[in-house]
Amino acid sequence: MADRPGPSRYSVFVLCAALAAAVGYGIGRLQLTLGAEDTATSAQAGAGPDLPTDGPGPFYVEVGQLMVPVLVEGRTNAFILTQITLQTGSVDQANLLRRHLPHARNALLQALFGMAGAGAFDGPAVDPAAVAKSLKQAAAEQLGPDLVRGVLIDRLMRQENTRL
């Protein structure tokens, strides 16, 4: 029986990064689900907080963490890690956005991949306002122009891949 070489360090790193992203996404989805159940339970009991449930807003929906690789000559040079929150104008819009959150995440990821491919994350500095503008445009194209009023970037970080 021939000895098979073990997985490379790079493969292990990529697997760990993907696993961390999946766990973060799963925890975010669980928190959204539990938060919706808590809100429904407190609304039924009539013991909800004294916050407005409709009106001029704004209201926010957390998208969660997104991670995009930065490729240079076919190799992963770095990872862009983001934490994004979307702003809507009413509770109904926030609930609609929550129902379509996978579509929103898809649009935002596609925009981030496009920006990474165009070199927007190359160099030492990234313009968060330009990133937010691009993500808002992507969300508007996917979900309609009136649903997402703003994109808030809670975290935008470039993590260098030191295992080249």
Side-chain angles (χ1 to χ4, degrees):
M1 184 179 225
D3 289 331
R4 292 189 327 200
S8 69
R9 288 183 177 172
Y10 177 74
S11 298
V12 172
F13 174 75
V14 170
L15 180 63
C16 289
L19 182 61
V23 168
Y25 176 74
I27 289 173
R29 296 288 296 183
L30 180 63
Q31 288 175 341
L32 285 175
T33 303
L34 292 177
E37 290 173 1
D38 291 345
T39 303
T41 303
S42 65
Q44 289 174 354
D50 293 333
L51 298 175
T53 57
D54 57 8
F59 296 90
Y60 302 96
V61 175
E62 292 184 18
V63 173
Q65 296 180 0
L66 302 174
M67 181 173 63
V68 176
V70 177
L71 301 176
V72 176
E73 297 177 4
R75 299 184 66 133
T76 304
N77 193 35
F79 292 96
I80 300 299
L81 306 169
T82 62
Q83 178 82 25
I84 297 172
T85 301
L86 300 177
Q87 177 183 345
T88 65
S90 71
V91 170
D92 291 337
Q93 287 180 333
N95 289 333
L96 178 64
L97 184 55
R98 283 186 190 96
R99 285 195 304 271
H100 295 284
L101 196 55
H103 295 284
R105 287 180 59 87
N106 178 52
L108 298 175
L109 274 170
Q110 286 183 11
L112 287 170
F113 271 97
M115 292 171 65
F121 301 120
D122 294 344
V126 176
D127 181 13
V131 173
K133 182 179 178 182
S134 177
L135 294 177
K136 184 176 184 300
Q137 180 180 3
E141 289 173 3
Q142 178 72 34
L143 304 169
D146 298 328
L147 185 59
V148 176
R149 291 190 178 179
V151 173
L152 305 171
I153 299 176
D154 301 325
R155 183 178 303 132
L156 180 62
M157 181 177 82
R158 178 184 168 107
Q159 175 67 47
E160 296 296 325
N161 184 6
T162 58
R163 299 192 183 255
L164 295 175

